[in-house]
Amino acid sequence: MNHQELAYLADRYRTTLRLAVYVSRRLDGVTGLSTTALSILNMVAREGLRVGVIAENLGVRVPSATEQVGRLERAGLVARGGDPADARAVVVRRTPAGDAAAADANRRRNARMVDAFGALAPEELEALRAALPAMDKINERLHAATNHKEHIA
């Protein structure tokens, strides 16, 4: 494949991702959590993240991420705690209530997606299934290029 074809694919991929974000935001009324809130809850699901990493993942400045984390903390969905790797750092982690809220919101969004997938023909569903590993590989490569040890979820 030549450079022009790769550039076309890159543009289509980015457009598809951007539209997916727009569609995801429209599902927020169903979940009760904003896209940003659910994104943060999903990001900190495992070992937690520093606010600076959350900000970078969201594409916002640290004060904006701090404000979002504060809202989630006041709602009892996240808690701030020490970083075992660095005593000076603070890590944001999901609480059990945050686990439940994220699971509910993700389940509702997935149900809406399942409904949308019902409009696809079997061969389109198979094409989607076949494309997901390649999409994962692209995302992993782009993430690795940022040299972060932290995960993006």
Side-chain angles (χ1 to χ4, degrees), residues 22-75:
Y22 298 157
V23 169
S24 177
R25 287 180 179 151
R26 289 184 188 134
L27 298 178
D28 288 337
V30 174
T31 66
L33 288 173
S34 71
T35 299
T36 302
L38 184 55
S39 292
I40 292 170
L41 289 176
N42 286 333
M43 273 185 239
V44 301
R46 296 174 199 90
E47 65 275 1
L49 291 175
R50 295 179 184 185
V51 174
V53 175
I54 292 169
E56 189 172 354
N57 288 349
L58 292 174
V60 300
R61 294 179 185 252
V62 172
S64 296
T66 301
E67 182 180 330
Q68 293 292 327
V69 167
R71 286 184 189 140
L72 292 170
E73 189 174 35
R74 285 187 296 279

Side-chain angles (χ1 to χ4, degrees), residues 8-140:
Y8 171 77
L9 284 177
D11 184 61
R12 284 294 313 267
Y13 183 73
R14 290 181 56 248
T15 298
T16 299
L17 292 177
R18 187 172 42 258
L19 291 174
V21 169
Y22 298 157
V23 169
S24 177
R25 287 180 179 151
R26 289 184 188 134
L27 298 178
D28 288 337
V30 174
T31 66
L33 288 173
S34 71
T35 299
T36 302
L38 184 55
S39 292
I40 292 170
L41 289 176
N42 286 333
M43 273 185 239
V44 301
R46 296 174 199 90
E47 65 275 1
L49 291 175
R50 295 179 184 185
V51 174
V53 175
I54 292 169
E56 189 172 354
N57 288 349
L58 292 174
V60 300
R61 294 179 185 252
V62 172
S64 296
T66 301
E67 182 180 330
Q68 293 292 327
V69 167
R71 286 184 189 140
L72 292 170
E73 189 174 35
R74 285 187 296 279
L77 302 178
V78 299
R80 299 176 209 224
D83 183 345
D86 183 351
R88 301 167 296 164
V90 174
V91 173
V92 178
R93 293 181 179 84
R94 264 187 354 203
T95 64
D99 290 341
D104 182 57
N106 286 317
R107 186 181 67 252
R108 288 175 187 238
R109 282 187 176 185
N110 286 343
R112 296 275 306 265
M113 294 298 298
V114 166
D115 184 52
F117 288 172
L120 298 177
E123 60 273 8
E124 291 171 317
L125 288 169
E126 190 50 45
L128 177 61
R129 180 194 319 272
L132 290 175
M135 293 172 69
D136 287 342
K137 190 172 185 179
I138 292 165
N139 290 335
E140 288 168 13

